[in-house]
Coordinates of all heavy atoms in Angstrom, one line a residue:
G282 N -113.7 12.8 66.0 CA -114.0 14.0 65.3 C -114.1 15.2 66.1 O -113.6 16.3 65.8
I283 N -114.7 15.1 67.3 CA -114.7 16.2 68.2 C -113.3 16.7 68.6 O -113.0 17.9 68.5 CB -115.5 15.8 69.5 CG1 -117.0 15.6 69.2 CG2 -115.4 16.9 70.6 CD1 -117.8 14.9 70.3
H284 N -112.5 15.8 68.9 CA -111.1 16.1 69.3 C -110.2 16.5 68.2 O -109.2 17.2 68.4 CB -110.5 15.0 70.2 CG -111.1 14.9 71.5 ND1 -110.7 15.8 72.6 CD2 -112.1 14.1 72.0 CE1 -111.4 15.5 73.6 NE2 -112.3 14.5 73.3
D285 N -110.5 16.1 67.0 CA -109.8 16.5 65.8 C -110.1 17.9 65.4 O -109.2 18.6 64.9 CB -110.1 15.6 64.6 CG -109.5 14.2 64.7 OD1 -108.6 14.0 65.6 OD2 -109.9 13.3 64.0
H286 N -111.3 18.3 65.6 CA -111.7 19.7 65.2 C -111.3 20.7 66.3 O -111.1 21.9 65.9 CB -113.3 19.7 65.0 CG -113.7 19.1 63.7 ND1 -114.0 17.8 63.6 CD2 -113.8 19.7 62.5 CE1 -114.4 17.6 62.4 NE2 -114.2 18.7 61.7
Y287 N -111.3 20.4 67.5 CA -111.0 21.4 68.6 C -110.0 20.9 69.6 O -110.1 19.7 70.0 CB -112.3 21.8 69.3 CG -113.3 22.5 68.3 CD1 -114.4 21.8 67.9 CD2 -113.1 23.8 67.9 CE1 -115.3 22.4 67.0 CE2 -114.0 24.4 67.0 CZ -115.1 23.7 66.5 OH -115.9 24.3 65.7
D288 N -109.2 21.8 70.1 CA -108.3 21.4 71.2 C -109.1 21.4 72.5 O -110.2 21.9 72.6 CB -107.1 22.3 71.3 CG -107.5 23.8 71.6 OD1 -108.0 24.0 72.6 OD2 -107.2 24.7 70.7
E289 N -108.5 20.9 73.5 CA -109.2 20.7 74.8 C -109.6 22.0 75.5 O -110.7 22.1 76.0 CB -108.3 19.9 75.8 CG -108.2 18.4 75.3 CD -107.2 17.6 76.1 OE1 -106.3 18.1 76.8 OE2 -107.4 16.4 76.1
M290 N -108.8 23.0 75.4 CA -109.2 24.3 76.0 C -110.4 24.9 75.2 O -111.3 25.4 75.9 CB -108.0 25.3 75.9 CG -108.3 26.6 76.7 SD -108.7 26.4 78.4 CE -107.0 26.0 79.1
T291 N -110.4 24.8 73.9 CA -111.5 25.3 73.2 C -112.8 24.5 73.5 O -113.9 25.1 73.7 CB -111.3 25.2 71.6 OG1 -110.1 26.0 71.4 CG2 -112.4 25.8 70.8
L292 N -112.7 23.2 73.6 CA -113.8 22.4 74.0 C -114.4 22.8 75.4 O -115.6 23.0 75.5 CB -113.5 20.9 74.0 CG -113.3 20.3 72.7 CD1 -112.7 18.9 72.8 CD2 -114.6 20.2 71.9
A293 N -113.5 23.1 76.3 CA -113.9 23.4 77.7 C -114.6 24.8 77.7 O -115.6 25.0 78.4 CB -112.7 23.4 78.6
K294 N -114.0 25.8 77.0 CA -114.5 27.1 77.0 C -115.7 27.3 76.1 O -116.7 28.0 76.5 CB -113.4 28.1 76.5 CG -112.3 28.3 77.5 CD -111.3 29.3 77.0 CE -110.2 29.6 77.9 NZ -109.2 30.5 77.3
E295 N -115.7 26.8 74.9 CA -116.8 27.0 74.0 C -117.9 26.0 73.9 O -119.0 26.3 73.5 CB -116.2 27.1 72.6 CG -115.1 28.1 72.4 CD -115.6 29.6 72.6 OE1 -116.7 29.9 72.2 OE2 -114.8 30.4 73.2
F296 N -117.6 24.8 74.4 CA -118.6 23.7 74.3 C -118.8 22.9 75.6 O -118.8 21.7 75.6 CB -118.2 22.7 73.2 CG -117.9 23.4 71.8 CD1 -116.6 23.6 71.4 CD2 -119.0 23.8 71.1 CE1 -116.4 24.3 70.2 CE2 -118.8 24.5 69.8 CZ -117.5 24.7 69.4
P297 N -119.2 23.6 76.7 CA -119.3 22.9 78.0 C -120.7 22.3 78.1 O -121.0 21.7 79.2 CB -119.1 24.0 79.0 CG -119.6 25.3 78.3 CD -119.3 25.1 76.8
T298 N -121.5 22.3 77.1 CA -122.8 21.7 77.2 C -123.1 20.9 75.9 O -122.5 21.2 74.9 CB -124.0 22.7 77.3 OG1 -124.1 23.5 76.1 CG2 -123.8 23.6 78.5
V299 N -124.0 19.9 76.0 CA -124.3 19.1 74.8 C -125.0 20.0 73.8 O -124.7 19.8 72.6 CB -125.3 17.9 75.2 CG1 -125.7 17.2 74.0 CG2 -124.6 17.0 76.2
D300 N -125.8 20.9 74.2 CA -126.5 21.8 73.2 C -125.5 22.6 72.4 O -125.6 22.7 71.2 CB -127.4 22.7 73.9 CG -128.6 22.0 74.5 OD1 -129.0 20.9 74.0 OD2 -129.3 22.5 75.4
K301 N -124.5 23.1 73.0 CA -123.5 23.9 72.3 C -122.6 23.0 71.4 O -122.3 23.5 70.3 CB -122.6 24.7 73.3 CG -123.3 25.8 74.0 CD -122.3 26.6 74.8 CE -123.1 27.8 75.5 NZ -122.3 28.6 76.3
L302 N -122.3 21.8 71.8 CA -121.6 20.9 71.0 C -122.4 20.5 69.7 O -121.9 20.6 68.6 CB -121.3 19.7 71.8 CG -120.2 18.7 71.3 CD1 -118.8 19.5 71.2 CD2 -120.0 17.5 72.2
Q303 N -123.7 20.3 69.9 CA -124.6 19.9 68.8 C -124.8 21.0 67.9 O -125.1 20.8 66.7 CB -125.9 19.3 69.3 CG -125.8 18.0 70.0 CD -127.1 17.5 70.6 OE1 -127.9 18.3 71.0 NE2 -127.3 16.2 70.6
A304 N -124.8 22.3 68.4 CA -125.1 23.4 67.5 C -123.9 23.8 66.7 O -124.1 24.6 65.7 CB -125.4 24.6 68.4
D305 N -122.7 23.3 66.9 CA -121.5 23.7 66.1 C -121.6 23.1 64.7 O -121.8 21.9 64.6 CB -120.3 23.2 66.8 CG -119.0 23.6 66.1 OD1 -118.7 24.8 66.0 OD2 -118.4 22.7 65.5
P306 N -121.4 23.9 63.7 CA -121.5 23.4 62.3 C -120.5 22.4 62.0 O -120.8 21.4 61.3 CB -121.3 24.7 61.5 CG -121.6 25.8 62.4 CD -121.3 25.4 63.8
Q307 N -119.3 22.5 62.4 CA -118.2 21.5 62.1 C -118.6 20.2 62.7 O -118.4 19.1 62.1 CB -116.9 22.0 62.6 CG -116.3 23.1 61.7 CD -114.9 23.4 62.1 OE1 -114.3 22.9 63.1 NE2 -114.2 24.2 61.3
I308 N -119.0 20.2 64.0 CA -119.3 18.9 64.7 C -120.6 18.3 64.0 O -120.6 17.1 63.8 CB -119.6 19.2 66.2 CG1 -118.3 19.7 66.8 CG2 -120.1 17.9 66.9 CD1 -117.1 18.8 66.8
R309 N -121.6 19.1 63.7 CA -122.8 18.6 63.1 C -122.4 18.0 61.7 O -122.9 16.9 61.4 CB -123.8 19.8 62.9 CG -125.1 19.2 62.4 CD -126.2 20.3 62.3 NE -126.2 21.3 63.4 CZ -126.1 22.6 63.2 NH1 -125.9 23.1 62.0 NH2 -126.1 23.4 64.2
R310 N -121.6 18.7 60.9 CA -121.2 18.1 59.6 C -120.5 16.8 59.8 O -120.7 15.9 59.0 CB -120.3 19.2 58.9 CG -120.2 18.9 57.4 CD -119.6 20.1 56.6 NE -118.6 20.9 57.3 CZ -118.8 22.1 57.8 NH1 -119.9 22.7 57.7 NH2 -117.8 22.8 58.4
H311 N -119.6 16.7 60.8 CA -118.9 15.5 61.0 C -119.8 14.4 61.4 O -119.7 13.2 60.9 CB -117.8 15.7 62.1 CG -117.0 14.4 62.3 ND1 -116.0 13.9 61.5 CD2 -117.1 13.5 63.4 CE1 -115.5 12.8 62.0 NE2 -116.2 12.5 63.1
S312 N -120.8 14.7 62.3 CA -121.7 13.7 62.7 C -122.6 13.2 61.6 O -122.9 12.0 61.5 CB -122.7 14.3 63.8 OG -121.9 14.6 64.9
Q313 N -122.9 14.1 60.7 CA -123.7 13.6 59.5 C -122.9 12.7 58.6 O -123.4 11.7 58.1 CB -124.2 14.9 58.7 CG -125.3 15.6 59.4 CD -125.5 17.0 58.8 OE1 -124.8 17.5 58.0 NE2 -126.6 17.6 59.3
W314 N -121.6 13.0 58.5 CA -120.7 12.1 57.7 C -120.6 10.7 58.4 O -120.7 9.7 57.7 CB -119.3 12.7 57.6 CG -118.3 11.8 56.9 CD1 -118.2 11.6 55.6 CD2 -117.4 11.0 57.6 NE1 -117.2 10.7 55.4 CE2 -116.7 10.3 56.6 CE3 -117.1 10.7 58.9 CZ2 -115.7 9.4 56.9 CZ3 -116.1 9.8 59.3 CH2 -115.4 9.2 58.3
V315 N -120.5 10.7 59.7 CA -120.4 9.5 60.5 C -121.6 8.6 60.3 O -121.6 7.4 60.1 CB -120.1 9.7 62.0 CG1 -120.2 8.4 62.8 CG2 -118.7 10.3 62.1
A316 N -122.8 9.3 60.3 CA -124.1 8.6 60.2 C -124.2 7.8 58.8 O -124.9 6.8 58.7 CB -125.2 9.6 60.3
K317 N -123.4 8.3 57.8 CA -123.5 7.6 56.5 C -122.5 6.5 56.4 O -122.5 5.7 55.4 CB -123.2 8.7 55.4 CG -124.2 9.7 55.3 CD -123.8 10.8 54.3 CE -124.8 11.9 54.3 NZ -124.3 13.0 53.4
Q318 N -121.6 6.3 57.3 CA -120.6 5.2 57.3 C -121.2 3.9 57.6 O -122.1 3.8 58.4 CB -119.4 5.6 58.2 CG -118.8 6.9 58.0 CD -118.4 7.1 56.5 OE1 -117.6 6.4 56.0 NE2 -118.9 8.2 55.9
K319 N -120.6 2.8 57.0 CA -121.0 1.5 57.3 C -120.4 1.1 58.7 O -119.3 1.4 59.0 CB -120.5 0.5 56.2 CG -121.2 0.7 54.9 CD -120.7 -0.4 54.0 CE -121.4 -0.3 52.6 NZ -121.0 -1.3 51.7

Side-chain angles (χ1 to χ4, degrees):
I283 291 168
H284 287 281
D285 286 346
H286 283 91
Y287 297 106
D288 62 61
E289 291 176 334
M290 187 59 76
T291 303
L292 288 170
K294 288 180 178 180
E295 304 295 323
F296 305 104
T298 66
V299 173
D300 291 337
K301 288 185 179 182
L302 196 61
Q303 289 176 331
D305 180 68
Q307 287 187 350
I308 300 297
R309 190 176 319 119
R310 197 167 34 253
H311 180 75
S312 297
Q313 290 168 346
W314 174 81
V315 169
K317 295 176 186 175
Q318 304 308 302
K319 289 185 180 181

